Amino acid sequence: MTNSPQPEPAALLHIDWTRCDGRGLCTELLPELLARDEWGYPLARTGSAAGSAAERSDIAIPPALRGAAADAVALCPRQALKLTSR
Amino acid sequence: MDAALWAFGRGTGVVSLVALTVTVLLGILTRSGRPLPGLPRFSITLVHRNVALVACAFVVLHVVLLFFDSFAQLTVLDFVVPFFGSFLPFWQGLGTVAVDLLIAIIVTALLRNRLGLRTFRVVHWLTYALWPIALAHAIGNGTDGTSVWFLWLAGLSTLAVLAAVAWRVSARFVEFRSVRTGQLS
Amino acid sequence: MTVAELTGTARLFRAGSPTFAAHHAVYGSLPSVTAPDAPDALIDELRRSGLEGRGGAGFPVWRKLASVLANSSVLADSSGLANSSVLANSSALANSAGRGSSQRQPVVIGNGADGEPLSHKDETLLRQAPHLVLDGLLLCQAVVRASDVSLYVGAASAAAVRLAIAERPDALHVRVLIAPEDFVSGEATAVANAFEHGVSVPRDHIVHLSQSGVKKRPTLVQNVETLAQLALIARFGAEWFRSVGTASEPGTRLVTVSGDVGTPQLLEVAGGTSLRRIVDACAPLDEMPRAVLVGGYHGGWVPGDRLDSALSREALAPFGAAPGAGVIFVLGSGRCGLESAGAIADYLASQSARQCGPCINGLPAMASVLGSLAARSRDPRLPGELARLADLVTGRGSCSHPDGTARFVLSSLRAFETDVRAHLTGRCEVHGA
């Protein structure tokens, strides 16, 4: 009903590193977004230290992957993931 | 009619025990952070969860069917308060204890994302008490409890669970354990 | 510790004594900032002054105050949480906000925990000029209408702070909490954690503390030097503050100079002063130092032949350094930079709060590779591996410890580039063969 062309806020997957134990469920559910580092912890494929370091703890989720991201949040054995928006 | 109820009551009990055993094994496997061949990690978690719910459904059937059975002479009180049964009160009481534990574990598991990690985990550890109690109930109370085929089933299940627990407490249990220099507190 | 000044820059230690009488004689009474016709006057003055935080991050002070004020006036209205942007778990946050206006009353904390072992400015300020810090704290309380006001200080300054609080009736409500001497205990979320849960380790956050900090209340955490500077700006104004320093680095700042300069020294210097002037003021150098570490262990090395660089954000950016908390560590000409960097990297790895996987694993890995390089292991892959690990840990922790450590390690590779090449052939530019 609103006329203002508000762009949909970008969905972000936030990683709480104090909880993450690198169990690997999120990296299986979101292989397009997440790889695993040499210790098993999720590593964002986009965003690098050279770019914006913040993108590695708050990973932008394309609309097509929102369902998989919601599954990852629900299934994370350490409850280390949250969906947020910018 | 009574014979049919009795048979269903026994059968659902055995199926519950098998489903519980599979659940415990998958639970330990998923805790290690490893996939199975052809079964990714999130699938193990989902199968663990679904087999647990199947086990619950069979436990409910088992209890409800035996409630209507005239041999067992269960009262409503026996569903939740152990050791007051009229027939083999100790062995039946173990079944009641197992049901109470199962209710606590399932409810906290379903509410996991609301309760927070600590509550969920502490209650979930009770599974290590639930499983042997349920097994003892089956052997001590079941009509087939001491028959050869059931003792074989019970023995193999015990071996599998013991092996899984031994692996659980071993140093190389967690995937990447060998390359990680520190552990989360 | 005695405080030296470069010409005309003595501002923070003018009282000469920690007593309230001396403080009042020099600086006068605490100005009122709660005039009903201009409630945001001090915030405007701070914006004009250009004062930035002196704890390390250098965030504009007025912005933090304005943010805390905005978030506190939201009160029970949940619209403030619409910006908090939490889709999942938003109900939990909304509940806590809706519990009544008292839940949104701001908290003000003065942070005096010199987490950096090389920094002594906060401790010295609290011991020698505690009333200026208290002034700043009380002014912040008035501006954001806070209900709780506290000081988070190292054990060495606690007695002086308690004595100062007892001296003045307007500060009796200020709580004092002792900070442990860990590197990460002064990080802002660790400070909030200390007040809420009694553990001084950083915690995960999806919104700023100014929005949701101690017990989800808007929380203002300001370094104690920042508070003292703020107390001066409230009295003498932005123009006066900017009359010293440069346009981009206005005012004075406290720096702790240590390393090969004899005993560590604390100086109050004008913003933008050259590193050479600062180091010369402490110990006139016979020889060019090998390098100077600026900004602390999370900072960067400035090579000895580049000491004309100013203590400013722009001039230090090419070295991966920033004025930060004002730490300047002089590495003498007879010291190997890579050996010193290796020891610092070991220390930083040991100071991980051991909460985040990439930090727990990545920092010791970096320290170990840097150690091999310092020990002149002839493996040409070492520098590349170090850069790879530094990239791997950056941005992947709940606080800036992995990022800062990575920055320091990369700066060490850059500043001692020629020595890195020498070490890979088994030689050392300083120690020879």
Side-chain angles (χ1 to χ4, degrees):
Chain A
M1 295 301 128
T2 172
N3 289 328
S4 58
Q6 281 259 321
E8 207 171 319
L12 298 173
L13 184 67
H14 174 78
I15 303 175
D16 178 346
W17 295 102
T18 66
R19 289 190 169 187
C20 176
D21 193 24
R23 300 272 185 85
L25 275 82
C26 57
T27 49
E28 279 178 342
L29 286 162
L30 295 162
E32 301 88 346
L33 298 181
L34 298 171
R36 296 184 94 178
D37 68 15
E38 59 220 72
W39 309 291
Y41 298 98
L43 176 61
R45 294 190 189 276
T46 55
S48 67
S52 169
E55 286 169 28
R56 299 172 126 194
S57 294
D58 294 283
I59 300 143
I61 310 164
L65 293 177
R66 287 196 185 179
D71 287 345
V73 171
L75 282 176
C76 174
R78 299 279 302 187
Q79 297 177 9
L81 299 173
K82 270 193 197 91
L83 282 177
T84 67
S85 69
R86 199 150 24 208
Chain B
M1 189 61 202
D2 263 4
L5 277 177
W6 184 238
F8 273 122
R10 280 153 56 192
T12 50
V14 173
V15 173
S16 301
L17 188 69
V18 171
L20 282 176
T21 306
V22 172
T23 306
V24 168
L25 294 175
L26 286 173
I28 291 175
L29 181 68
T30 195
R31 172 64 182 78
S32 80
R34 283 183 174 79
L36 277 176
L39 201 59
R41 297 171 181 85
F42 65 88
S43 302
I44 294 177
T45 301
L46 289 174
V47 175
H48 164 74
R49 177 187 293 182
N50 292 340
V51 175
L53 292 175
V54 166
C56 281
F58 275 89
V59 168
V60 169
L61 275 178
H62 173 69
V63 172
V64 170
L65 288 171
L66 289 176
F67 179 68
F68 292 109
D69 179 81
S70 54
F71 304 146
Q73 295 178 12
L74 289 180
T75 65
V76 177
L77 194 69
D78 292 327
F79 286 163
V80 283
V81 182
F83 310 121
F84 282 100
S86 54
F87 172 67
L88 297 174
F90 174 72
W91 299 108
Q92 193 195 78
L94 290 184
T96 306
V97 171
V99 166
D100 291 343
L101 290 174
L102 190 62
I103 291 169
I105 292 164
I106 290 292
V107 167
T108 53
L110 292 175
L111 297 175
R112 189 180 75 106
N113 285 339
R114 285 170 180 270
L115 291 175
L117 213 50
R118 195 167 299 169
T119 312
F120 162 76
R121 192 155 54 165
V122 167
V123 177
H124 224 66
W125 273 334
L126 291 175
T127 310
Y128 286 113
L130 161 67
W131 188 81
I133 289 172
L135 183 70
H137 160 77
I139 294 173
N141 209 24
T143 316
D144 309 306
T146 46
S147 60
V148 174
W149 69 268
F150 187 81
L151 287 179
W152 268 104
L153 179 71
L156 287 175
S157 300
T158 307
L159 269 181
V161 170
L162 284 179
V165 169
W167 178 47
R168 168 71 186 88
V169 297
S170 73
R172 295 187 61 84
F173 173 71
V174 175
E175 197 189 19
F176 291 97
R177 185 70 195 87
S178 51
V179 290
R180 289 185 185 171
T181 49
Q183 224 172 349
L184 293 170
S185 45
Chain C
M1 184 175 263
T2 57
V3 184
E5 58 152 329
L6 295 186
T7 327
T9 56
R11 288 180 164 183
L12 297 170
F13 295 97
R14 291 284 288 276
S17 150
T19 64
F20 185 68
H23 166 77
H24 193 265
V26 171
Y27 297 108
S29 299
L30 185 63
S32 168
V33 291
T34 48
D37 52 324
D40 296 340
L42 183 56
I43 292 181
D44 284 340
E45 200 67 25
L46 287 167
R47 187 171 50 75
R48 279 195 296 275
S49 76
L51 174 64
E52 293 181 345
R54 298 290 160 80
F59 196 77
V61 173
W62 73 273
R63 231 184 255 278
K64 262 198 207 176
L65 280 161
S67 176
V68 170
L69 187 57
N71 283 302
S72 68
S73 56
V74 171
L75 294 179
D77 175 10
S78 63
S79 69
L81 284 147
N83 323 332
S84 84
S85 64
V86 183
L87 297 180
N89 288 346
S90 68
S91 57
L93 272 174
N95 284 343
S96 66
R99 233 177 269 148
S101 57
S102 68
Q103 284 292 315
R104 301 292 291 166
Q105 288 207 336
V107 174
V108 171
I109 301 169
N111 185 3
D114 287 300
E116 291 264 359
L118 297 182
S119 177
H120 300 289
K121 73 174 178 74
D122 294 344
E123 180 195 328
T124 309
L125 189 65
L126 286 167
R127 288 166 75 135
Q128 297 186 19
H131 289 289
L132 219 42
V133 177
L134 286 172
D135 282 355
L137 204 59
L138 298 177
L139 289 166
C140 285
Q141 176 187 11
V143 169
V144 304
R145 290 137 213 165
S147 53
D148 287 60
V149 191
S150 307
L151 271 171
Y152 182 69
V153 303
S157 28
V161 168
R162 292 208 173 97
L163 212 61
I165 289 173
E167 265 189 296
R168 49 195 286 185
D170 60 343
L172 287 175
H173 61 290
V174 175
R175 245 179 92 197
V176 177
L177 193 69
I178 309 282
E181 286 183 21
D182 299 314
F183 192 82
V184 295
S185 65
E187 199 269 343
T189 64
V191 176
N193 221 0
F195 278 88
E196 193 169 342
H197 299 116
V199 279
S200 305
V201 294
R203 68 182 183 197
D204 183 62
H205 52 285
I206 42 177
V207 294
H208 274 287
L209 290 176
S210 59
Q211 196 172 330
S212 173
V214 177
K215 295 184 180 146
K216 301 201 162 69
R217 292 158 64 179
T219 300
L220 180 75
V221 179
Q222 291 284 20
N223 171 267
V224 291
E225 183 195 337
T226 313
L227 293 173
Q229 301 277 13
L230 182 151
L232 295 181
I233 292 168
R235 285 186 168 88
F236 310 120
E239 287 314 308
W240 168 87
F241 179 76
R242 302 187 66 90
S243 66
V244 164
T246 63
S248 64
E249 300 285 338
T252 64
R253 64 162 65 239
L254 295 176
V255 295
T256 316
V257 186
S258 61
D260 293 318
V261 287
T263 53
Q265 297 192 48
L266 188 72
L267 274 76
E268 183 171 5
V269 304
T273 305
S274 83
L275 295 176
R276 184 184 309 284
R277 263 197 84 195
I278 295 172
V279 174
D280 273 344
C282 295
L285 296 163
D286 306 330
E287 284 180 278
M288 185 177 80
R290 182 113 189 110
V292 171
L293 179 63
V294 183
Y297 288 164
H298 281 174
W301 297 99
V302 176
D305 56 359
R306 302 292 299 276
L307 292 192
D308 288 326
S309 309
L311 186 65
S312 74
R313 225 180 254 254
E314 295 117 316
L316 294 172
F319 305 103
V327 168
I328 293 177
F329 173 80
V330 179
L331 189 73
S333 56
R335 305 255 197 150
C336 169
L338 292 172
E339 285 175 4
S340 298
I344 292 172
D346 275 338
Y347 168 79
L348 289 173
S350 78
Q351 289 297 306
S352 166
R354 309 193 66 71
Q355 297 191 100
C356 308
C359 182
I360 298 175
N361 294 284
L363 266 49
M366 276 197 287
S368 152
V369 175
L370 192 53
S372 301
L373 203 52
R376 300 182 226 172
S377 166
R378 296 176 188 227
D379 184 346
R381 292 168 306 176
L382 291 177
E385 173 66 359
L386 209 45
R388 186 190 71 83
L389 287 168
D391 177 86
L392 188 59
V393 301
T394 300
R396 297 176 69 222
S398 277
C399 74
S400 61
H401 191 50
D403 304 43
T405 305
R407 208 162 47 231
F408 168 78
V409 164
L410 290 176
S411 154
S412 304
L413 280 184
R414 265 196 316 272
F416 307 115
E417 196 186 357
T418 55
D419 203 20
V420 167
R421 285 203 291 272
H423 274 235
L424 289 174
T425 62
R427 291 179 305 103
C428 172
E429 285 185 347
V430 176
H431 301 314

